[in-house]
Amino acid sequence: MVAVLLAALSLLLLPGSHAFVHPVMQSSAVVTSTTSLSALPEFNPFLLADGLSAATRYGGSGFDNDVFADPAVTSALSTLRTFFIVLTAAAFGLTALAYITAAFIVPKAAEQLENDAKRLRPGLWEEYEAKLEDNQTMANRPDLLQELGNIMQPIITAEYERQAEEKFGPKAGAKKEDGGVIDVEVEDK
């Protein structure tokens, strides 16, 4: 009931407000621009006027007085373009690095770790393979690969040092217990 009264009151106060409103043609006596922009809809006249004033300030009326002739604008646009080129190149570079790491390096590292684990600690690789779910490999589970790598690192290092002592003698494989000092003789010329 109140809504009907408000609608009737608005019709009395605003005689031109009904369902079939004809557009009111307004004419402007002052022409503000020399260009023909009447075909463009004016969604926001402030932005359009702002753009026109910026264009006239930079002398955008012709090609010989272009906005890009200003060195400050050219420098800023060049810097912005360079920034986005570097940003895009960095994104592609990181994507390529992640792909190469996931597709080639991690599977090779898992294969080498498998060989070392089976050679130096039989049964350890199978223990970690039992932790995998169906359709998973060690290359797909970097957490297990890292954990197994942390276990195998001192074992692999000790094996490498043992092989170096066998090949080059006891002085070649300097140990941390000895202070890590390697004796070197320097000959004077």
Side-chain angles (χ1 to χ4, degrees):
M1 178 92 167
V2 175
V4 173
L5 287 174
L6 285 175
L9 186 61
S10 68
L11 286 175
L12 291 174
L13 293 176
L14 302 170
S17 62
H18 50 80
F20 300 103
V21 176
H22 296 286
V24 179
M25 301 300 285
Q26 296 179 353
S27 64
S28 174
V30 179
V31 176
T32 58
S33 109
T34 59
T35 61
S36 172
L37 294 176
S38 61
L40 295 176
E42 289 194 42
F43 295 110
N44 191 344
F46 178 71
L47 292 177
L48 183 61
D50 208 19
L52 288 174
S53 68
T56 55
R57 180 168 33 127
Y58 281 112
S61 60
F63 290 105
D64 41 306
N65 250 346
D66 198 18
V67 70
F68 297 110
D70 187 7
V73 172
T74 305
S75 172
L77 290 176
S78 176
T79 302
L80 189 63
R81 182 184 67 211
T82 303
F83 171 74
F84 282 114
I85 288 172
V86 168
L87 187 67
T88 303
F92 278 111
L94 288 175
T95 303
L97 182 65
Y99 175 77
I100 289 171
T101 301
F104 300 109
I105 296 174
V106 171
K108 275 294 193 187
E111 181 182 326
Q112 183 62 42
L113 188 61
E114 177 183 6
N115 293 338
D116 289 339
K118 286 181 177 179
R119 181 174 51 91
L120 298 173
R121 292 289 184 263
L124 188 61
W125 181 261
E126 288 77 18
E127 179 185 331
Y128 274 87
E129 276 189 329
K131 294 179 181 181
L132 296 174
E133 297 174 8
D134 292 338
N135 298 327
Q136 278 188 339
T137 63
M138 288 295 274
N140 296 345
R141 290 285 306 269
D143 56 330
L144 291 178
L145 198 62
Q146 178 71 34
E147 185 178 328
L148 183 60
N150 289 341
I151 292 171
M152 288 299 298
Q153 184 178 7
I155 298 168
I156 294 170
T157 304
E159 177 67 18
Y160 176 76
E161 287 177 355
R162 186 189 63 75
Q163 288 176 354
E165 283 183 14
E166 285 178 4
K167 187 173 183 179
F168 300 110
K171 286 197 173 218
K175 298 200 186 292
K176 290 183 181 178
E177 296 88 30
D178 299 338
V181 178
I182 299 175
D183 292 332
V184 178
E185 294 180 18
V186 179
E187 296 178 9
D188 292 330
K189 291 184 180 182

PDB file of all heavy atoms in Angstrom, residues 9-27:
ATOM      1  N   LEU A   9       2.744   9.362  -5.804  1.00  0.00           N
ATOM      2  CA  LEU A   9       3.308  10.650  -5.436  1.00  0.00           C
ATOM      3  C   LEU A   9       4.446  11.034  -6.377  1.00  0.00           C
ATOM      4  O   LEU A   9       4.569  12.196  -6.766  1.00  0.00           O
ATOM      5  CB  LEU A   9       3.801  10.598  -3.980  1.00  0.00           C
ATOM      6  CG  LEU A   9       4.303  11.901  -3.386  1.00  0.00           C
ATOM      7  CD1 LEU A   9       3.191  12.945  -3.366  1.00  0.00           C
ATOM      8  CD2 LEU A   9       4.836  11.683  -1.998  1.00  0.00           C
ATOM      9  N   SER A  10       5.272  10.052  -6.759  1.00  0.00           N
ATOM     10  CA  SER A  10       6.369  10.373  -7.671  1.00  0.00           C
ATOM     11  C   SER A  10       5.855  10.756  -9.051  1.00  0.00           C
ATOM     12  O   SER A  10       6.450  11.572  -9.745  1.00  0.00           O
ATOM     13  CB  SER A  10       7.343   9.190  -7.778  1.00  0.00           C
ATOM     14  OG  SER A  10       6.717   8.119  -8.437  1.00  0.00           O
ATOM     15  N   LEU A  11       4.712  10.175  -9.480  1.00  0.00           N
ATOM     16  CA  LEU A  11       4.134  10.551 -10.759  1.00  0.00           C
ATOM     17  C   LEU A  11       3.585  11.977 -10.718  1.00  0.00           C
ATOM     18  O   LEU A  11       3.629  12.696 -11.710  1.00  0.00           O
ATOM     19  CB  LEU A  11       3.019   9.580 -11.161  1.00  0.00           C
ATOM     20  CG  LEU A  11       3.486   8.205 -11.633  1.00  0.00           C
ATOM     21  CD1 LEU A  11       2.285   7.297 -11.883  1.00  0.00           C
ATOM     22  CD2 LEU A  11       4.292   8.350 -12.898  1.00  0.00           C
ATOM     23  N   LEU A  12       3.069  12.385  -9.564  1.00  0.00           N
ATOM     24  CA  LEU A  12       2.557  13.739  -9.448  1.00  0.00           C
ATOM     25  C   LEU A  12       3.684  14.766  -9.402  1.00  0.00           C
ATOM     26  O   LEU A  12       3.585  15.833  -9.988  1.00  0.00           O
ATOM     27  CB  LEU A  12       1.688  13.870  -8.187  1.00  0.00           C
ATOM     28  CG  LEU A  12       0.360  13.115  -8.223  1.00  0.00           C
ATOM     29  CD1 LEU A  12      -0.315  13.210  -6.861  1.00  0.00           C
ATOM     30  CD2 LEU A  12      -0.536  13.684  -9.304  1.00  0.00           C
ATOM     31  N   LEU A  13       4.759  14.439  -8.674  1.00  0.00           N
ATOM     32  CA  LEU A  13       5.864  15.390  -8.550  1.00  0.00           C
ATOM     33  C   LEU A  13       6.739  15.437  -9.793  1.00  0.00           C
ATOM     34  O   LEU A  13       7.254  16.481 -10.157  1.00  0.00           O
ATOM     35  CB  LEU A  13       6.722  15.037  -7.331  1.00  0.00           C
ATOM     36  CG  LEU A  13       6.033  15.212  -5.966  1.00  0.00           C
ATOM     37  CD1 LEU A  13       6.952  14.744  -4.863  1.00  0.00           C
ATOM     38  CD2 LEU A  13       5.632  16.662  -5.763  1.00  0.00           C
ATOM     39  N   LEU A  14       6.913  14.297 -10.432  1.00  0.00           N
ATOM     40  CA  LEU A  14       7.736  14.221 -11.625  1.00  0.00           C
ATOM     41  C   LEU A  14       6.847  13.834 -12.799  1.00  0.00           C
ATOM     42  O   LEU A  14       6.637  12.660 -13.089  1.00  0.00           O
ATOM     43  CB  LEU A  14       8.849  13.186 -11.448  1.00  0.00           C
ATOM     44  CG  LEU A  14       9.803  13.415 -10.277  1.00  0.00           C
ATOM     45  CD1 LEU A  14      10.672  12.205 -10.084  1.00  0.00           C
ATOM     46  CD2 LEU A  14      10.634  14.651 -10.509  1.00  0.00           C
ATOM     47  N   PRO A  15       6.269  14.807 -13.475  1.00  0.00           N
ATOM     48  CA  PRO A  15       5.290  14.493 -14.509  1.00  0.00           C
ATOM     49  C   PRO A  15       5.910  13.746 -15.688  1.00  0.00           C
ATOM     50  O   PRO A  15       5.225  13.030 -16.384  1.00  0.00           O
ATOM     51  CB  PRO A  15       4.761  15.848 -14.934  1.00  0.00           C
ATOM     52  CG  PRO A  15       5.774  16.827 -14.490  1.00  0.00           C
ATOM     53  CD  PRO A  15       6.485  16.228 -13.331  1.00  0.00           C
ATOM     54  N   GLY A  16       7.180  13.852 -15.914  1.00  0.00           N
ATOM     55  CA  GLY A  16       7.786  13.192 -17.075  1.00  0.00           C
ATOM     56  C   GLY A  16       8.265  11.792 -16.772  1.00  0.00           C
ATOM     57  O   GLY A  16       8.845  11.157 -17.626  1.00  0.00           O
ATOM     58  N   SER A  17       8.039  11.263 -15.562  1.00  0.00           N
ATOM     59  CA  SER A  17       8.549   9.939 -15.236  1.00  0.00           C
ATOM     60  C   SER A  17       7.444   8.904 -15.346  1.00  0.00           C
ATOM     61  O   SER A  17       6.596   8.778 -14.486  1.00  0.00           O
ATOM     62  CB  SER A  17       9.132   9.926 -13.824  1.00  0.00           C
ATOM     63  OG  SER A  17       8.121  10.224 -12.902  1.00  0.00           O
ATOM     64  N   HIS A  18       7.421   8.217 -16.459  1.00  0.00           N
ATOM     65  CA  HIS A  18       6.524   7.092 -16.641  1.00  0.00           C
ATOM     66  C   HIS A  18       7.257   6.061 -17.490  1.00  0.00           C
ATOM     67  O   HIS A  18       8.426   6.245 -17.839  1.00  0.00           O
ATOM     68  CB  HIS A  18       5.184   7.515 -17.253  1.00  0.00           C
ATOM     69  CG  HIS A  18       5.310   8.366 -18.471  1.00  0.00           C
ATOM     70  ND1 HIS A  18       5.577   7.854 -19.704  1.00  0.00           N
ATOM     71  CD2 HIS A  18       5.215   9.720 -18.616  1.00  0.00           C
ATOM     72  CE1 HIS A  18       5.632   8.846 -20.576  1.00  0.00           C
ATOM     73  NE2 HIS A  18       5.419   9.986 -19.940  1.00  0.00           N
ATOM     74  N   ALA A  19       6.623   5.000 -17.849  1.00  0.00           N
ATOM     75  CA  ALA A  19       7.308   3.879 -18.494  1.00  0.00           C
ATOM     76  C   ALA A  19       7.858   4.243 -19.865  1.00  0.00           C
ATOM     77  O   ALA A  19       8.863   3.699 -20.288  1.00  0.00           O
ATOM     78  CB  ALA A  19       6.370   2.692 -18.596  1.00  0.00           C
ATOM     79  N   PHE A  20       7.213   5.138 -20.582  1.00  0.00           N
ATOM     80  CA  PHE A  20       7.656   5.483 -21.913  1.00  0.00           C
ATOM     81  C   PHE A  20       8.228   6.887 -21.927  1.00  0.00           C
ATOM     82  O   PHE A  20       7.570   7.845 -22.320  1.00  0.00           O
ATOM     83  CB  PHE A  20       6.494   5.353 -22.908  1.00  0.00           C
ATOM     84  CG  PHE A  20       5.947   3.968 -22.956  1.00  0.00           C
ATOM     85  CD1 PHE A  20       4.755   3.643 -22.331  1.00  0.00           C
ATOM     86  CD2 PHE A  20       6.642   2.960 -23.609  1.00  0.00           C
ATOM     87  CE1 PHE A  20       4.258   2.375 -22.361  1.00  0.00           C
ATOM     88  CE2 PHE A  20       6.153   1.683 -23.647  1.00  0.00           C
ATOM     89  CZ  PHE A  20       4.957   1.372 -23.018  1.00  0.00           C
ATOM     90  N   VAL A  21       9.476   6.997 -21.498  1.00  0.00           N
ATOM     91  CA  VAL A  21      10.123   8.297 -21.431  1.00  0.00           C
ATOM     92  C   VAL A  21      10.820   8.540 -22.758  1.00  0.00           C
ATOM     93  O   VAL A  21      11.590   7.720 -23.231  1.00  0.00           O
ATOM     94  CB  VAL A  21      11.153   8.353 -20.274  1.00  0.00           C
ATOM     95  CG1 VAL A  21      11.903   9.670 -20.276  1.00  0.00           C
ATOM     96  CG2 VAL A  21      10.475   8.124 -18.954  1.00  0.00           C
ATOM     97  N   HIS A  22      10.536   9.681 -23.357  1.00  0.00           N
ATOM     98  CA  HIS A  22      11.210  10.055 -24.581  1.00  0.00           C
ATOM     99  C   HIS A  22      12.496  10.776 -24.221  1.00  0.00           C
ATOM    100  O   HIS A  22      12.522  11.588 -23.292  1.00  0.00           O
ATOM    101  CB  HIS A  22      10.307  10.973 -25.432  1.00  0.00           C
ATOM    102  CG  HIS A  22       9.066  10.279 -25.880  1.00  0.00           C
ATOM    103  ND1 HIS A  22       9.081   9.341 -26.876  1.00  0.00           N
ATOM    104  CD2 HIS A  22       7.774  10.391 -25.462  1.00  0.00           C
ATOM    105  CE1 HIS A  22       7.852   8.891 -27.058  1.00  0.00           C
ATOM    106  NE2 HIS A  22       7.037   9.510 -26.211  1.00  0.00           N
ATOM    107  N   PRO A  23      13.567  10.498 -24.935  1.00  0.00           N
ATOM    108  CA  PRO A  23      14.823  11.170 -24.605  1.00  0.00           C
ATOM    109  C   PRO A  23      14.722  12.661 -24.854  1.00  0.00           C
ATOM    110  O   PRO A  23      14.130  13.108 -25.833  1.00  0.00           O
ATOM    111  CB  PRO A  23      15.848  10.528 -25.542  1.00  0.00           C
ATOM    112  CG  PRO A  23      15.067   9.873 -26.606  1.00  0.00           C
ATOM    113  CD  PRO A  23      13.706   9.589 -26.059  1.00  0.00           C
ATOM    114  N   VAL A  24      15.295  13.398 -23.933  1.00  0.00           N
ATOM    115  CA  VAL A  24      15.291  14.845 -24.038  1.00  0.00           C
ATOM    116  C   VAL A  24      16.540  15.247 -24.813  1.00  0.00           C
ATOM    117  O   VAL A  24      17.648  14.861 -24.466  1.00  0.00           O
ATOM    118  CB  VAL A  24      15.293  15.492 -22.639  1.00  0.00           C
ATOM    119  CG1 VAL A  24      15.315  16.996 -22.759  1.00  0.00           C
ATOM    120  CG2 VAL A  24      14.086  15.034 -21.850  1.00  0.00           C
ATOM    121  N   MET A  25      16.343  15.978 -25.850  1.00  0.00           N
ATOM    122  CA  MET A  25      17.469  16.420 -26.653  1.00  0.00           C
ATOM    123  C   MET A  25      17.999  17.722 -26.065  1.00  0.00           C
ATOM    124  O   MET A  25      17.279  18.700 -25.981  1.00  0.00           O
ATOM    125  CB  MET A  25      17.034  16.654 -28.115  1.00  0.00           C
ATOM    126  CG  MET A  25      16.459  15.421 -28.782  1.00  0.00           C
ATOM    127  SD  MET A  25      17.622  14.061 -28.827  1.00  0.00           S
ATOM    128  CE  MET A  25      18.710  14.594 -30.093  1.00  0.00           C
ATOM    129  N   GLN A  26      19.241  17.682 -25.651  1.00  0.00           N
ATOM    130  CA  GLN A  26      19.865  18.878 -25.109  1.00  0.00           C
ATOM    131  C   GLN A  26      20.903  19.360 -26.099  1.00  0.00           C
ATOM    132  O   GLN A  26      21.678  18.587 -26.631  1.00  0.00           O
ATOM    133  CB  GLN A  26      20.545  18.572 -23.770  1.00  0.00           C
ATOM    134  CG  GLN A  26      19.566  18.155 -22.698  1.00  0.00           C
ATOM    135  CD  GLN A  26      20.293  17.831 -21.405  1.00  0.00           C
ATOM    136  OE1 GLN A  26      21.506  17.801 -21.364  1.00  0.00           O
ATOM    137  NE2 GLN A  26      19.521  17.597 -20.354  1.00  0.00           N
ATOM    138  N   SER A  27      20.916  20.625 -26.305  1.00  0.00           N
ATOM    139  CA  SER A  27      21.910  21.177 -27.219  1.00  0.00           C
ATOM    140  C   SER A  27      22.879  22.027 -26.414  1.00  0.00           C
ATOM    141  O   SER A  27      22.495  22.713 -25.480  1.00  0.00           O
ATOM    142  CB  SER A  27      21.246  22.011 -28.301  1.00  0.00           C
ATOM    143  OG  SER A  27      20.612  23.120 -27.719  1.00  0.00           O
TER     144      SER A  27
END
